[in-house]
Amino acid sequence: MNSSFEKQIMQLSHFTTESHSLHLREQCGTVAFCLKLNLPQYRLSQALSGIAANVHHVKSFLNHTAYLSCYFPNSQKTDVKNIIVFWQKGVDEVVHETYLGQEIHDHVSPKYRNRTKMDMDKWTLQLLNVGIVDEGQYKCIIMHVDKGPKKIIHESECLLHITANYSQPEIAQLHTGELKPNENLNLSCSSSGGYPEPKQMIWLISSENITDRLIRHMDVLQDAVTKLYNVTSKLNIPIPTNTLTNISCLLHLGEQQGSLVSVPLVIEIQAEEMEQVKVNFFGPLIAVILLITLLLGFLILKNRNISSTSQSVSLAV
């Protein structure tokens, strides 16, 4: 850029009226180039011709393709060769530009280069292999280029939300050895690799058609590189006895995302107690049977001895 043109741009940047903004954009050439000038008084959002922006919420899964629509009806059937489509994120980050039917990559931010495709039939931008850092607000600006100055004919905004699936919550026992009555039950429930941050983790304890809901502190850890979350909650309660108890943990992700529940942990201390009762019951019974058997054996042996003695006496006579 020559010094005279740069001076002219700086002078024009002090005006925020529509006519001066459009004239500045005409002098700049492409929309992205104007944005790259980074003039403090000039932003595309300030150069709009009074068209209200509609924010559309868009959801996409991590590492999938996000579809950001301009929601442009093109009621005038304007030829794409007379159209500039410009996408930006935030204030000054260039995502994509299609200038008179041709894609321009010169001013696109490096992290979006070779990651976008513009479908001019559907006026939709495809953002490939989205990551957590791609989450945020995107603006589509459509300008008509004719004999006169460039004119903004449409603008819309999309708020991109990224979702990553959490693993199924898993319960682990923190104690060692067998469960015994009158002791505490120490459990943890964990889920990993998800986004966004979940709301809370709830413990469900069910026995005899009654379910108690316990909310405990949830430890949240976000990976510095992937930005994904790992969550853990711990439970410490007295060991339930004399009843069959199911313990589950439920991870509440949000109103629109639903919840995930773990495989239930079954606690059945009653079965061990019944086994002990059976042993205590059969012990005396076995002793009685053994005693009766010994008595019968003694009587049989005694009768045999008496019979032998009688036979000996008869032979002697």
Side-chain angles (χ1 to χ4, degrees):
M1 187 189 317
N2 57 51
S3 58
S4 61
F5 179 59
E6 183 176 3
K7 183 178 180 180
Q8 183 183 11
I9 292 295
M10 293 304 295
Q11 290 174 348
L12 287 172
S13 67
H14 292 284
F15 297 92
T16 57
T17 64
E18 177 185 350
S19 59
H20 284 86
S21 297
L22 290 174
H23 180 63
L24 172 61
R25 214 170 10 225
E26 177 70 25
Q27 292 290 334
C28 290
T30 68
V31 180
F33 186 66
C34 283
L35 190 62
K36 281 297 180 179
L37 291 176
N38 198 26
L39 302 177
Q41 289 86 7
Y42 177 77
R43 289 292 183 269
L44 289 178
S45 58
Q46 296 175 332
L48 300 177
S49 56
I51 302 175
N54 297 318
V55 179
H56 303 273
H57 291 263
V58 178
K59 293 183 179 180
S60 179
F61 284 103
L62 180 69
N63 298 326
H64 286 214
T65 299
Y67 295 88
L68 308 177
S69 177
C70 288
Y71 296 93
F72 178 49
N74 194 18
S75 57
Q76 301 298 322
K77 305 300 180 182
T78 306
D79 193 336
V80 294
K81 294 183 179 180
N82 296 325
I83 289 288
I84 298 175
V85 181
F86 178 77
W87 281 92
Q88 71 180 70
K89 182 183 180 185
V91 177
D92 57 2
E93 192 169 21
V94 180
V95 177
H96 182 91
E97 183 178 14
T98 298
Y99 187 82
L100 307 182
Q102 299 294 324
E103 292 187 359
I104 297 177
H105 306 283
D106 296 345
H107 309 294
V108 174
S109 172
K111 72 177 183 179
Y112 291 109
R113 199 162 292 168
N114 299 322
R115 289 183 56 213
T116 59
K117 295 180 181 179
M118 187 68 195
D119 186 342
M120 299 299 288
D121 293 328
K122 299 180 179 179
W123 304 98
T124 298
L125 179 72
Q126 300 178 31
L127 181 56
L128 310 177
N129 193 29
V130 294
I132 304 300
V133 294
D134 294 322
E135 197 172 50
Q137 192 155 330
Y138 293 78
K139 180 180 295 183
C140 171
I141 299 170
I142 297 180
M143 302 177 66
H144 181 228
V145 180
D146 206 348
K147 296 179 181 179
K150 299 178 180 70
K151 180 182 178 181
I152 293 176
I153 58 175
H154 181 79
E155 182 214 4
S156 65
E157 294 185 0
C158 292
L159 187 59
L160 178 60
H161 305 272
I162 305 299
T163 300
N165 291 327
Y166 281 85
S167 63
Q168 182 181 16
E170 184 176 353
I171 295 178
Q173 300 185 32
L174 302 180
H175 57 272
T176 57
E178 296 182 358
L179 298 178
K180 297 179 180 180
N182 303 321
E183 292 183 354
N184 279 357
L185 183 64
N186 294 318
L187 303 175
S188 71
C189 183
S190 302
S191 180
S192 61
Y195 189 89
E197 181 178 347
K199 300 300 181 182
Q200 62 182 359
M201 188 172 281
I202 302 172
W203 290 89
L204 306 176
I205 303 176
S206 302
S207 60
E208 298 180 351
N209 298 324
I210 298 175
T211 300
D212 294 325
R213 299 166 62 93
L214 303 179
I215 299 177
R216 295 292 186 263
H217 173 73
M218 182 177 66
D219 294 323
V220 179
L221 179 63
Q222 186 177 27
D223 189 279
V225 178
T226 65
K227 304 301 180 183
L228 300 178
Y229 288 99
N230 299 327
V231 294
T232 302
S233 178
K234 295 181 180 180
L235 180 68
N236 189 320
I237 59 172
I239 293 178
T241 56
N242 301 322
T243 183
L244 178 67
T245 302
N246 291 328
I247 300 178
S248 304
C249 65
L250 183 144
L251 182 63
H252 181 49
L253 302 175
E255 295 181 359
Q256 298 181 351
Q257 293 176 294
S259 302
L260 296 174
V261 65
S262 68
V263 175
L265 175 67
V266 180
I267 305 296
E268 194 174 6
I269 301 300
Q270 183 181 11
E272 296 180 2
E273 293 180 348
M274 288 299 295
E275 185 177 350
Q276 184 177 1
V277 170
K278 290 178 182 179
V279 172
N280 293 337
F281 174 77
F282 285 111
L285 181 61
I286 293 173
V288 171
I289 293 174
L290 288 174
L291 180 61
I292 293 174
T293 303
L294 291 174
L295 289 175
L296 290 175
F298 176 76
L299 290 176
I300 293 173
L301 182 61
K302 185 177 180 180
N303 289 334
R304 286 180 178 178
N305 291 335
I306 294 173
S307 176
S308 299
T309 303
S310 299
Q311 290 178 359
S312 300
V313 172
S314 300
L315 291 173
V317 174

